[in-house]
Amino acid sequence: MDHVIIFDTTLRDGEQSPGASMNVPEKLRLATQLEKLGVDVLEAGFPAASPGDFEAVQAISKKIRGVQVAALARTSKEDIERGWAAIRDAAKPRIHTFIATSDIHMKHKLKMSRDKVIQTTLETVRYAKSLTDNVEFSAEDASRSDRDFLCRVFEVAIDAGATTVNIPDTVGYSIPDEFGELVAYIRDHTPNIRKAVMSVHCHNDLGLATANTLAGVKAGVRQAEVTINGVGERAGNTSLEELVMSIHTRSSLLDLCTRINTREIYPTSRLVSMITGIIVQPNKAVVGANAFAHEAGIHQDGVLKNRMTYEIMEPATVGLDTNRLVLGKHSGRHAFRQRLNDLGYDLEKKEVDRLFGKFKELADKRKELLDEDIEALVAEEILRIPDVYKLLYLNVVSGTVAVPTATVKLMIEGQEAQGAGFGIGPIDATFNTIAKMVGSSAGLLRFSVNAITGGMDAQGEVTVRLQENGLVSLGKGTDPDIITASAKAYINGLNRLGYLKNNPSLKAEERRL
Ligand code: KIV
Ligand code: ZN
């Protein structure tokens, strides 16, 4: 069977989703999980975009040894130099450079002639090749480009040293037959195409990203660019789990395989959702909460008789085991540390000790803790940026007759402070009180609450999006009590806003929001 290279761009195109920016520890954590998932190439970021991006790509390059680490760069010497500086320490670095090839982009955005685009491609790919053997070239907006011009650009890129040529459907405009034909045309009309791996990169504006990627694969590409949960610019990118499970489930039809460890799909999906605060829709293929839920009586009856009646994949294949290892209040430090290691967290002793205390507190409230609960604890306690504001105490009075009132004690830059306030509901009262105490006028753009696991005693996971003076931040909080989870999320959002204000290097990331 032929192997399809899985190029994951969750950390780059995925991070371009509105509200999805991640901090460096979060990116490192995700990169570690992507390595465990078995992706072949991991696009760590766009180093020339901001100092924050550069720092993250460099940190990932130093840490991740088993996967190729790619840096995105425009076709300019400065971008390539910056990209290379960020990935030069990687075990397997790749420079990914791109230029638009559609008439509409060349005329209005680049203001370049076709000849100039060819010349720029030649010079930049050649320069990238002088730094590393592993160079990918993308023709942005390929699906709306003149086909013969596209073939010419790819020919020049390959002659200049590109080892992978990527065909993006940048605006998600193609439909599968048409996209498959485009790939076949490029394959048949680019004289030196066999010297490079062909790749596709599809966006989901018409909901066709996975179908278009499969059409490309059927027409001969051997690299697919994807993101976890399909996160990405606008309507997102091809989702890794949909493509990989299509290839896995229909391998005899397609005669193809990937190197993905499918059992890591669900844990990776959870992690991305937790880090970005972007909740997976319940009916999302493969990883949605309802993906394996059978509601109709006839279906339930069939599944009980033989799962294959209505199930084309086993939940365990994507890492959704019902008999996962459960920890509880009697679990010891050793089992806890082991579970953290199995989940991919390589933490220092003092971090494990801190987490273990929190774990015991939570285990006292809930009988059983699942992996998701432990991941939420790590996100709460370890992956956070340094807190200026910390919640010490919260008491809320609310009900059908009482005026919702909150009393809050915070640690503000090392000093304890207490305040009280009202609101139209308990969460509003809590947010008003905290805002007054820290002197914030941030607006609340989004508030969402989600249960991390099933059951009446599930932890609540709250995400808020705050905006102040043109900056936008995402705050997350988890707790068995959803009002406390909301307070934690709000405080986390305020801490992140403060962090952005004090770190101008990160502002470029936030401007993308
Ligand atoms: O969508 C796109 O065209 C891209 C390129 C940079 C590959 O993300
Ligand atoms: Zn893209």
Side-chain angles (χ1 to χ4, degrees):
M1 268 187 203
D2 253 7
H3 158 243
V4 178
I5 297 168
I6 299 296
F7 176 114
D8 181 276
T9 181
T10 309
L11 287 161
R12 199 278 297 169
D13 219 328
E15 212 210 7
Q16 288 173 219
S17 302
S21 31
M22 306 171 221
N23 61 36
V24 176
E26 288 169 338
K27 286 184 180 178
L28 273 172
R29 168 70 194 111
L30 181 53
T32 308
Q33 179 60 31
L34 290 169
E35 184 174 31
K36 196 167 170 202
L37 176 66
V39 304
D40 300 279
V41 189
L42 180 166
E43 187 161 56
F46 185 1
S50 74
D53 254 42
F54 181 89
E55 193 196 328
V57 177
Q58 195 172 44
I60 291 169
S61 300
K62 288 185 176 153
K63 181 159 185 214
I64 301 297
R65 309 315 287 170
V67 173
Q68 294 183 44
V69 177
L72 186 71
R74 284 163 294 199
T75 40
S76 77
K77 196 161 182 261
E78 297 72 40
D79 260 41
I80 303 264
E81 266 164 6
R82 193 83 179 131
W84 177 241
I87 54 164
R88 61 182 314 150
D89 291 329
K92 304 173 190 176
R94 172 184 291 198
I95 296 176
H96 176 195
T97 187
F98 71 100
I99 191 164
T101 51
S102 65
D103 288 337
I104 189 161
H105 276 235
M106 289 187 293
K107 180 167 175 221
H108 299 287
K109 187 182 82 176
L110 298 177
K111 302 193 188 321
M112 279 187 187
S113 65
R114 288 187 177 189
D115 285 348
K116 180 74 184 157
V117 166
I118 298 239
Q119 185 61 25
T120 309
T121 302
L122 175 73
E123 285 165 9
T124 331
V125 174
R126 206 177 260 164
Y127 180 57
K129 190 72 175 187
S130 71
L131 304 170
T132 172
D133 266 350
N134 192 352
V135 178
E136 171 168 342
F137 170 76
S138 285
E140 193 189 8
D141 207 17
S143 53
R144 294 193 300 169
S145 303
D146 176 85
R147 288 184 173 191
D148 292 319
F149 176 62
L150 196 53
C151 294
R152 176 80 192 111
V153 178
F154 282 143
E155 184 185 355
V156 167
I158 296 169
D159 273 345
T163 40
T164 302
V165 285
N166 184 35
I167 309 161
D169 182 23
T170 302
V171 289
Y173 180 70
S174 275
I175 57 172
D177 287 352
E178 177 195 31
F179 196 62
E181 275 164 28
L182 172 67
V183 169
Y185 191 89
I186 294 166
R187 182 194 65 204
D188 297 339
H189 293 84
T190 309
N192 51 3
I193 197 74
R194 299 216 184 290
K195 292 191 190 154
V197 173
M198 278 205 289
S199 165
V200 287
H201 172 115
C202 298
H203 280 268
N204 206 28
D205 299 66
L206 294 173
L208 294 171
T210 304
N212 284 335
T213 301
L214 269 176
V217 167
K218 284 183 77 176
V221 309
R222 287 296 173 263
Q223 174 177 289
E225 302 200 351
V226 292
T227 61
I228 303 295
N229 298 341
V231 292
E233 186 83 37
R234 304 181 312 279
N237 291 57
T238 302
S239 105
L240 178 144
E241 59 278 7
E242 291 174 14
L243 181 77
V244 167
M245 289 316 289
S246 298
I247 294 177
H248 184 90
T249 309
R250 306 305 309 275
S251 61
S252 52
L253 177 81
L254 297 168
D255 204 22
L256 292 169
C257 63
T258 71
R259 291 202 189 95
I260 294 295
N261 172 4
T262 59
R263 292 187 63 90
E264 290 298 330
I265 286 181
Y266 184 69
T268 316
S269 160
R270 275 287 316 147
L271 183 67
V272 168
S273 167
M274 205 173 60
I275 289 179
T276 59
I278 299 174
I279 291 161
V280 174
Q281 76 196 58
N283 59 330
K284 167 84 178 62
V286 185
V287 290
N290 296 346
F292 295 94
H294 303 280
E295 187 70 20
I298 296 177
H299 289 207
Q300 289 176 350
D301 179 56
V303 169
L304 286 173
K305 288 175 176 147
N306 183 331
R307 297 200 77 90
M308 280 166 70
T309 50
Y310 287 100
E311 248 174 41
I312 58 165
M313 310 168 253
E314 282 183 39
T317 313
V318 298
L320 243 175
D321 295 11
T322 38
N323 54 354
R324 282 173 298 169
L325 184 64
V326 171
L327 294 180
K329 67 175 177 186
H330 299 300
S331 307
R333 194 179 296 261
H334 180 75
F336 181 66
R337 179 182 256 287
Q338 185 55 48
R339 197 72 206 122
L340 285 171
N341 286 346
D342 293 347
L343 289 170
Y345 296 103
D346 181 17
L347 302 177
E348 288 174 19
K349 184 175 174 314
K350 63 174 192 304
E351 292 175 322
V352 177
D353 289 346
R354 179 145 57 94
L355 276 179
F356 189 63
K358 294 283 171 189
F359 161 75
K360 283 285 178 183
E361 277 172 30
L362 189 59
D364 266 342
K365 295 186 194 154
R366 293 191 52 186
K367 258 205 332 269
E368 297 177 332
L369 297 185
L370 299 176
D371 292 349
E372 288 89 333
D373 295 304
I374 294 174
E375 287 179 331
L377 270 184
V378 180
E380 277 287 333
E381 300 297 324
I382 310 290
L383 296 179
R384 298 210 159 210
I385 49 148
D387 283 345
V388 174
Y389 313 122
K390 221 173 160 50
L391 181 68
L392 297 179
Y393 165 92
L394 170 68
N395 185 46
V396 175
V397 179
S398 166
T400 48
V401 285
V403 175
T405 314
T407 311
V408 180
K409 195 187 263 185
L410 293 181
M411 183 72 86
I412 305 178
E413 290 182 271
Q415 300 285 321
E416 281 189 18
Q418 188 159 324
F422 308 104
I424 52 165
I427 293 173
D428 189 46
T430 305
F431 288 6
N432 287 344
T433 307
I434 296 170
K436 200 167 61 188
M437 289 173 73
V438 306
S440 165
S441 56
L444 181 65
L445 296 183
R446 191 178 83 186
F447 172 87
S448 69
V449 64
N450 187 33
I452 298 191
T453 51
M456 297 288 279
D457 60 353
Q459 290 204 80
E461 178 182 52
V462 173
T463 306
V464 296
R465 185 117 60 99
L466 305 180
Q467 183 174 37
E468 195 174 25
N469 299 331
L471 293 175
V472 179
S473 77
L474 188 84
K476 286 163 280 178
T478 39
D479 198 274
D481 176 320
I482 58 162
I483 301 175
T484 308
S486 306
K488 286 181 177 174
Y490 189 63
I491 292 169
N492 179 233
L494 292 173
N495 279 321
R496 288 175 83 119
L497 264 183
Y499 187 68
L500 288 169
K501 271 185 228 156
N502 298 330
N503 288 276
S505 66
L506 294 176
K507 285 191 182 154
E509 284 180 21
E510 288 299 295
R511 269 202 291 275
R512 290 208 299 253
L513 293 170

